[in-house]
């Protein structure tokens, strides 16, 4: 195994870190113009580098944020991204060292949880990340689409200029606030990046105004088709604070001219857009993908932060090989969760706990998959009721 050392990068080293990350994704180095924009969403005080001698061979970064948990509370949270290792230095322990160091430091700094969006699904379970929310891709045939007469209505939609990406839209986002477990607070650089155009399209933003003010927005781009190809409107971001705002924004999207299809990726599994259509077959769910990969950094605080359903208390044993301070027995009941010395009825590792924590997967489902060990079968239905949320978790923030 090659020897390497880890340290925080300084400002002058961030571009090399970005290029290393892009190379790991098989992309070319960043251009001067794009780097000027990229500096707005890097934080060198949170960017780690792995070095072999003086050569950078791996990197990972994060942003400070907050995560909404079941019950409506938010906890200190780190959004992890730009994790990469040089192709000639993979499988030598570099990634493991980076993530162990990063997760340990984040816990010590007070983050209760961390999340990321995974390019490869087989990597992050080894480090305690579990899939905690999912999203679906909805494709609507615009020319066949129309909302039925009972779809929510009220309010107006207006287009806003590009300055709104860093002014109006963040204000609306904060005003709407967390509506589901999995919501994360966005940082200033995230908004700047949202305004950057995708290749071949211009981004457009529209804001919905309801009876109490601005309560939703959508950001989208259109790629015009040629030679028989379809013109596609792709939803890049959509936030709605009410059913009226959701319906109003989609009603607006479905009336944009010179568009054949509207595509919205990673939307909530239970978002009722297709139910608002007069012709249900005009909307088609093309895929369901993992969204939030959650890592509980401080299990006692995470368990104590969320609320639980009505059921008999259950004692669970949590194992965490990477952060052993999390290992222990926890008594979870309608009144909350706390460490205990009582015998465990269920046992699972921190990865499986992450999958259940926001309410995406029931403990009994995890048990059926072999991810929860059951000492007391009567505890499983109680655990299902305790961890149930009544809301499908979803973040809606890609980073």
């Amino acid at each position: 195994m090659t020897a390497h050392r880890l340290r925080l990068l300084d400002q002058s080293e961030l571009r090399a870190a970005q290029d290393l990350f892009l190379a790991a994704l098989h992309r070319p180095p960043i251009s001067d113009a794009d780097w000027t924009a990229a500096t707005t969403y890097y934080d060198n005080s949170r960017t780690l580098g792995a070095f072999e001698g003086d050569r950078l061979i791996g990197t990972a970064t994060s942003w400070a944020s907050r995560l909404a948990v079941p019950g409506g509370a938010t906890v200190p949270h780190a959004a992890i991204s730009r994790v990469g290792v040089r192709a000639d230095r993979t499988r030598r322990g570099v990634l493991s060292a980076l993530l162990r160091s990063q997760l340990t430091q984040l816990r010590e700094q007070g983050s209760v949880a961390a999340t990321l969006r995974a390019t490869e699904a087989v990597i992050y379970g080894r480090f305690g990340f579990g899939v905690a929310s999912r999203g679906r891709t909805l494709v609507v045939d615009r020319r066949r689409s129309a909302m039925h007469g009972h779809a929510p209505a009220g309010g107006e939609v207006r287009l806003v200029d590009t300055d709104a990406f860093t002014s109006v839209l963040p204000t609306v986002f904060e005003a709407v606030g967390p509506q589901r477990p999995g919501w994360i607070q966005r940082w200033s650089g995230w908004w700047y990046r949202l305004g950057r155009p995708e290749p071949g399209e211009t981004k457009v933003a529209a804001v919905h105004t309801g009876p109490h003010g601005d309560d939703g927005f959508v950001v989208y781009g259109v790629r015009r088709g040629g030679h028989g190809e379809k013109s596609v409107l792709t939803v890049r971001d959509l936030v709605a604070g009410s059913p009226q705002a959701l319906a109003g924004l989609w009603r607006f999207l479905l009336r944009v001219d010179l568009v054949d299809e509207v595509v919205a990726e990673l939307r909530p599994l239970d978002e009722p857009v297709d139910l608002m259509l007069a012709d249900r077959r005009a909307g088609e769910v093309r895929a369901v993908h993992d969204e939030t990969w959650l890592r509980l950094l401080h299990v006692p605080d995470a368990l104590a932060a969320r609320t639980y359903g009505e059921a008999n208390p259950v004692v669970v044993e949590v194992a965490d090989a990477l952060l052993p301070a999390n290992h222990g027995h926890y008594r979870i009941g309608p009144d909350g969760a706390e460490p205990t010395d009582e015998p465990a009825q269920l046992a699972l590792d921190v990865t499986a706990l992450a999958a259940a924590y926001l309410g995406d997967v029931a403990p009994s489902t995890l048990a059926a998959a072999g991810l929860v060990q059951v000492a007391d079968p009567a505890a499983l239905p109680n655990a299902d009721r305790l961890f149930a949320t009544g809301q499908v978790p979803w973040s809606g923030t890609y980073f």
Side-chain angles (χ1 to χ4, degrees):
M1 183 176 293
T2 304
H4 51 265
R5 58 189 176 87
L6 306 180
R7 64 170 174 82
L8 289 173
L9 302 183
D10 62 41
Q11 191 70 31
S12 66
E13 297 170 308
L14 295 182
R15 185 165 183 175
Q18 175 72 3
D19 285 345
L20 187 153
F21 169 69
L22 291 174
L25 298 181
H26 308 296
R27 295 178 182 172
I30 195 167
S31 67
D32 290 343
D34 286 341
W35 175 241
T36 300
T39 56
T40 64
Y41 53 86
Y42 254 110
D43 184 348
N44 65 292
S45 69
R46 302 172 68 96
T47 304
L48 273 174
F51 288 84
E52 184 180 277
D54 294 330
R55 182 171 55 179
L56 182 68
I57 60 172
T59 187
T61 194
S62 70
W63 299 274
S65 175
R66 296 191 70 85
L67 169 73
V69 303
T74 65
V75 297
H77 156 261
I80 293 175
S81 186
R82 287 162 178 74
V83 180
V85 177
R86 278 176 53 126
D88 59 353
R89 289 297 179 270
T90 58
R91 295 164 182 80
R92 303 185 186 202
V94 179
L95 177 63
S96 294
L98 279 167
L99 286 176
R100 285 177 181 272
S101 177
Q102 184 183 48
L103 295 176
T104 300
Q105 289 179 20
L106 291 171
R107 188 183 194 276
E108 292 172 350
Q109 292 166 1
S111 291
V112 172
T115 65
L116 55 75
R117 308 295 179 259
T119 51
E120 289 191 70
V122 297
I123 295 175
Y124 293 101
R126 293 186 288 128
F127 303 101
F129 288 88
V131 176
S133 74
R134 295 166 292 147
R136 67 178 190 170
T137 297
L138 179 66
V139 179
V140 181
D141 183 342
R142 193 196 68 83
R143 300 186 186 280
R144 293 172 52 202
S145 66
M147 289 194 174
H148 59 68
H150 299 290
E156 296 182 352
V157 175
R158 72 183 189 279
L159 293 175
V160 294
D161 59 29
T162 54
D163 292 341
F165 285 99
T166 54
S167 58
V168 177
L169 303 192
T171 300
V172 177
F173 182 81
E174 291 296 327
V176 170
Q179 294 185 305
R180 297 171 180 264
W183 173 96
I184 65 171
Q185 183 183 52
R186 295 174 175 178
W187 49 99
S188 59
W190 190 95
W191 291 104
Y192 189 88
R193 185 185 179 198
L194 177 65
R196 298 283 296 172
E198 301 290 333
E201 69 177 37
T202 300
K203 283 185 176 175
V204 179
V207 173
H208 184 274
T209 303
H212 304 293
D214 294 343
D215 58 1
F217 65 83
V218 64
V219 176
Y220 67 90
V222 177
R223 293 178 187 270
R224 292 294 308 279
H227 305 290
E229 297 179 347
K230 293 179 179 179
S231 293
V232 178
L233 184 156
T234 300
V235 176
R236 300 298 179 187
D237 192 23
L238 193 153
V239 172
S242 68
Q244 290 76 21
L246 177 67
L249 290 167
W250 269 94
R251 194 175 281 112
F252 165 79
L253 293 172
L254 298 176
R255 291 173 179 171
V256 175
D257 290 331
L258 304 178
V259 167
D260 298 304
E261 285 185 345
V262 178
V263 178
E265 298 177 341
L266 281 179
R267 299 303 302 169
L269 297 183
D270 63 344
E271 192 170 58
V273 175
D274 49 337
L275 297 178
M276 297 178 183
L277 300 175
D279 180 358
R280 289 280 300 276
R281 293 183 180 179
E284 178 185 356
V285 176
R286 294 274 176 89
V288 174
H289 293 291
D290 50 86
E291 187 207 26
T292 299
W293 286 72
L294 173 66
R295 211 311 174 176
L296 299 178
L297 300 174
H298 198 294
V299 168
D301 285 358
L303 290 175
R306 62 154 290 175
T307 59
Y308 299 93
E310 291 295 328
N312 292 329
V314 173
V315 177
V316 300
E317 179 181 3
V318 179
D320 190 339
L322 187 64
L323 299 174
N326 286 327
H327 185 90
H329 291 200
Y330 299 89
R331 185 180 188 274
I332 301 171
D335 296 330
E338 59 183 5
T340 183
D341 293 327
E342 297 177 43
Q345 297 165 285
L346 304 174
L348 71 172
D349 68 12
V350 72
T351 302
L353 180 61
Y357 180 75
L358 296 179
D360 186 60
V361 183
S364 61
T365 302
L366 294 169
L371 299 174
V372 173
Q373 287 69 55
V374 181
D376 179 2
L380 267 182
N382 287 320
D384 283 356
R385 289 191 291 271
L386 288 167
F387 278 89
T389 64
Q391 290 180 299
V392 175
W394 182 71
S395 170
T397 298
Y398 194 87
F399 55 90

